[in-house]
Every structure is written in structure tokens, then in C-alpha cells.
């Protein structure tokens, strides 16, 4: 039976419940940034500086948020971003997120560092197409097998993350002793005792570690070997030649995640990829970088028409989606907004998050004088309140 979430009216409502229900180390993992967290905060705050132009006496009938992302029909210009350890926010979290996205009509992206495996998602969504996110790893053989597994699971696009060659320091993860599953320390056990709903869910699933890795890499069969393997696998030598090789190996739609500079946007367009995502990894990598929404207009101009431009980072409402669309993003991705819903109420919570965002998007679009998302441009924004393109 579905939970009545009609009184949940905004993403912040879901965040509050998720913080109460999810163990501290996993909530903090999702809801924090690197170092001073300045960029993490700016991602959200900079959206609020952008003001909208309200129009009146406009026919608001026949409203639609439907559009396309890399040629795929979507119910709104939103996809669920790849997020690591999603299955630690809620038992079987990636499966529940994929099912919610499938029912709603938007893309779901599975992270390499997910708890549920590629095969789990395919099995529990009747092989409905989804996207898979890939890191460039030193173990090229394993990386190639991941691509083969994604193809076999009917993944329709590959999302290649470019901004995690090395890890930005996230103080909370170090202080919390982040691990999956949690180590049975007194501090962790005391915190878990306050999260009975989460614990019951975890007792009912076998998926408690990195499903795409354990059992698929030679010599990695338990947590002790997994931790040392992951610490050494992200490849700092990643370059545009690797992007070209992966594109050829994959052979399908390729999306490049982590572009924050106009020069890199031009290189991304030249690579032949289908889309790029303006993203600072949710403020979890380079602290002191601009927010994604601030960087978006310049990158959209530099990329031109040769590649689709999307963005993620800081989206907490349909208004944020509309502002991103107005500043040149064909599509957007949501990470934390999705995780709050999942951690709060499982699949129902994800569905509620999507409903909230779509309703806000549709209503705000109409107030700005548009009934079709594809007609929206920067004319809906108040001049002087939004970032401009780099000239």
C-alpha cells in the first residue's frame, strides 16, 4: 500500500524526514561537500539569486513539460543522477529509484559505485532501458567488462564521469568512518538503534556492498580487499584520448559528466559525445569552484549546437529546473533531491520528489508566460539577476 504523502509539499520536507531515518554516516555522505563546503552551498544558493519575470493575461491551457534528452522522450527535462551508495540510503535503493523513474517517464542513471548491480536493475525493471555511469579505472579489463555488462543489461546511454580522477576531502566521511556496511562500533551501533525503519529494511535484503564490484573483480571477495581496491582504482591519468577510446568501445550514446570550463566544453563537443553535464560533483570535489548554474551560460555558449548541454548541482525545485532550462540546459539531473525522497519513504518518496518538481516546473513556467517547456529561454528571467555567457 502506498504511503499518503500529500502533506509532503517540497523537497525540504523530504530532506528532514531522510535525516531522521537514514544512519548518520550515509545521510552525511549524501548531504555534504568537500573542505569548506563553499561550492556545495553555492550550488543551491545561486539559484535563489535568479529572479523570474511574471507575465499575465496569457492563455495557460495545454501546459506540457515533455521534451527530449539525447533524443529520448522524457516527461520533464530531468534525469536521476548517478549517486554512489544509493542502496545505503534505503534498502535496495537503486532498484526502487529505477522503478520510480521508469513509471514517471524520466531516465535513471546507475553509478558504478552502487549497492545494487547492473543486473539487479535490469532484472527488477523488466529490462527497461536505463543509463550507466562509468569511472575510468586503472583496471582497464574490469572497466571494459562493466561496459559489456551495461550493454547486455540494455543500458541506452553511458555517462562517463570526468571529475573524479582524485578525491576531494570530505571531512564528515572521515569523521564518521564511512564504510558499507557500517562497522559495528559503539558509536555506529548507538546511531543505528535510532533508525529501526532503516535497519529492518537492511535485514530484508542481501544487497549491502558494492554490487558491481564484489564477485566481478579478481581477488575482491570481501570488504577488506574491496576497500584497498577502490582506493587505488580511480585513474589520475584520464585524458581526452581515453574518452575517444571509451566512445568507440561503447558504440552508443555517450554523456560526459563534470565539465565546468568553456575550453573543456569545446573539447567535449569535439570528442563526438552526445551530451555534456555542467557539474562540480555536487560541490564534493573542487571546493572554491563556481556553482553549476553560474558556469552554465558560458559553457552552453562555448559548446554551441554540436553537443547537448545539461547541468546538475543544487536543484531542489521545479523553479530551479526552469532557470537551468532558461540559461541553456536542454536537461538537468537531480541527485540529493532524489536521495532525500528515497531515504525518507523509499520508492514512494522518489515518486513524490518527482511529482513536486514537475508541478513546480509546470506552474512556474505558466506564470512566466509559457505553456511548453521547449519555448522557454532567458527572456523569462529578470535582467541583471542571472549569470551571463563568457564573451
Amino acid at each position: 500500500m502506498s504511503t499518503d504523502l500529500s502533506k509532503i509539499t517540497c523537497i525540504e520536507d523530504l530532506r528532514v524526514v531522510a535525516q531522521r531515518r537514514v544512519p548518520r554516516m550515509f545521510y552525511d555522505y549524501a548531504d555534504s561537500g568537500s573542505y569548506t563546503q563553499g561550492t556545495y552551498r553555492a550550488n543551491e544558493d545561486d539559484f535563489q539569486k535568479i529572479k523570474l519575470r511574471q507575465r499575465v493575461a496569457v492563455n495557460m491551457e495545454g501546459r506540457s513539460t515533455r521534451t527530449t534528452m539525447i533524443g529520448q522522450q522524457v516527461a520533464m527535462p530531468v534525469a536521476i543522477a548517478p549517486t554512489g551508495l544509493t542502496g545505503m540510503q534505503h534498502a535496495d535503493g537503486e532498484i526502487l529509484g529505477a522503478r520510480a523513474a521508469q513509471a514517471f517517464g524520466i531516465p535513471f542513471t546507475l553509478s558504478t559505485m552502487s549497492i545494487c548491480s547492473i543486473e539487479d536493475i535490469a532484472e527488477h525493471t523488466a529490462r527497461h532501458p536505463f543509463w550507466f555511469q562509468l569511472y575510468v579505472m586503472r583496471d582497464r579489463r574490469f572497466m571494459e567488462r562493466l561496459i559489456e555488462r551495461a550493454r547486455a543489461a540494455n543500458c541506452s546511454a553511458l555517462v562517463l564521469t570526468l571529475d573524479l580522477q582524485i578525491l576531494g576531502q570530505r571531512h564528515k566521511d572521515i569523521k564518521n568512518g564511512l564504510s558499507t556496511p557500517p562497522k559495528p562500533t559503539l558509536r555506529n551501533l548507538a546511531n543505528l538503534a535510532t533508525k529501526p525503519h532503516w535497519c529492518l529494511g537492511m535485514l530484508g535484503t542481501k544487497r549491502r556492498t558494492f554490487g558491481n564490484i564484489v564477485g566481478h573483480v579478481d581477488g575482491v571477495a570481501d570488504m577488506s580487499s574491496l576497500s584497498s581496491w577502490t582506493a587505488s582504482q580511480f585513474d589520475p591519468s584520464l585524458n581526452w584520448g581515453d574518452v575517444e577510446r571509451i566512445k568507440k568501445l561503447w558504440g552508443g550514446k555517450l554523456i560526459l559528466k563534470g565539465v565546468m570550463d568553456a575550453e573543456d566544453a569545446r573539447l567535449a563537443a569535439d570528442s563526438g559525445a552526445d551530451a555534456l553535464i555542467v557539474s562540480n560533483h555536487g560541490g564534493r570535489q573542487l571546493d572554491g569552484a563556481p556553482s553549476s548554474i553560474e558556469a552554465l551560460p558560458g559553457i552552453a555558449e562555448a559548446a554551441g549546437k554540436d553537443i547537448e548541454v545539461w547541468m546538475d548541482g543544487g536543484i531542489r525545485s521545479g523553479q530551479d529546473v526552469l532557470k537551468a532550462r532558461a540559461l541553456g540546459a536542454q536537461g538537468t539531473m537531480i541527485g540529493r533531491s532524489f536521495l532525500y525522497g528515497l531515504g525518507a519513504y523509499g520508492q514512494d518518496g522518489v515518486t513524490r520528489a518527482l511529482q513536486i518538481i514537475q508541478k513546480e516546473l509546470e506552474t512556474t513556467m505558466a506564470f512566466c508566460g509559457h505553456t511548453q517547456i521547449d519555448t522557454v529561454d532567458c527572456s523569462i528571467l529578470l535582467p541583471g539577476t542571472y549569470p551571463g555567457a563568457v564573451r
Side-chain angles (χ1 to χ4, degrees), residues 84-288:
L85 278 70
T86 298
M88 287 290 117
Q89 301 295 320
H90 189 287
D92 298 334
E94 292 91 355
I95 292 171
L96 302 182
R99 284 175 167 171
Q102 177 183 356
F104 205 87
I106 66 166
F108 173 84
T109 316
L110 182 71
S111 170
T112 290
M113 306 306 293
S114 60
I115 303 301
C116 302
S117 69
I118 299 170
E119 293 78 12
D120 285 332
I121 305 304
E123 178 185 350
H124 288 86
T125 57
R127 293 183 55 80
H128 180 78
F130 63 99
W131 298 347
F132 180 68
Q133 175 271 332
L134 181 73
Y135 290 115
V136 176
M137 298 182 176
R138 294 179 189 272
D139 188 339
R140 292 296 200 263
R141 186 164 171 265
F142 170 67
M143 192 175 73
E144 290 171 5
R145 286 202 301 267
L146 275 175
I147 292 173
E148 292 168 2
R149 290 167 60 196
R151 186 182 294 114
N154 201 30
C155 290
S156 55
L158 190 70
V159 178
L160 180 62
T161 295
L162 300 178
D163 62 350
L164 204 75
Q165 294 165 270
I166 57 175
L167 282 170
Q169 181 167 302
R170 302 154 195 173
H171 299 326
K172 290 181 180 179
D173 291 350
I174 295 171
K175 289 178 168 61
N176 288 332
L178 179 69
S179 65
T180 177
K183 293 183 175 66
T185 64
L186 286 175
R187 185 170 185 258
N188 287 342
L189 290 172
N191 184 244
L192 289 174
T194 68
K195 316 293 179 183
H197 183 270
W198 185 91
C199 292
L200 284 172
M202 284 298 163
L203 286 173
T205 182
K206 60 185 178 182
R207 302 177 184 91
R208 303 188 191 101
T209 188
F210 295 108
N212 288 324
I213 299 171
V214 171
H216 296 280
V217 180
D218 295 339
V220 179
D222 57 41
M223 282 307 300
S224 60
S225 56
L226 176 63
S227 59
S228 60
W229 182 83
T230 53
S232 64
Q233 271 305 304
F234 295 116
D235 192 347
S237 71
L238 166 64
N239 58 69
W240 289 102
D242 292 315
V243 174
E244 183 179 346
R245 284 189 289 274
I246 289 169
K247 178 175 172 55
K248 289 180 179 177
L249 186 63
W250 169 243
K253 298 283 188 179
L254 180 66
I255 302 157
L256 303 179
K257 184 174 184 287
V259 175
M260 287 292 293
D261 185 86
E263 185 175 350
D264 286 337
R266 289 188 287 270
L267 291 169
D270 291 343
S271 76
D274 298 277
L276 68 83
I277 306 170
V278 179
S279 172
N280 52 37
H281 217 97
R284 295 161 64 76
Q285 285 294 90
L286 176 61
D287 190 37

Side-chain angles (χ1 to χ4, degrees), residues 11-12 40-48 76-79 81 277-278 280 282 292-293 296 310-325 329 331-340 353-354 357-358 360-361:
I11 298 300
E12 174 63 11
Y40 157 74
R41 289 191 296 270
N43 272 350
E44 191 171 347
D45 293 345
D46 284 357
F47 271 109
Q48 306 311 310
M76 59 178 171
V78 174
I277 306 170
V278 179
N280 52 37
S292 295
I293 195 65
L296 172 61
W310 307 343
M311 69 81 65
D312 84 344
I315 292 174
R316 303 290 185 270
S317 69
Q319 284 201 350
D320 295 340
V321 174
L322 188 70
K323 291 171 182 178
R325 184 78 184 207
T332 63
M333 300 190 95
I334 56 169
R336 291 185 176 98
S337 292
F338 148 67
L339 293 176
Y340 297 151
L354 298 178
I357 289 172
Q358 186 181 43
E360 290 175 340
L361 172 60

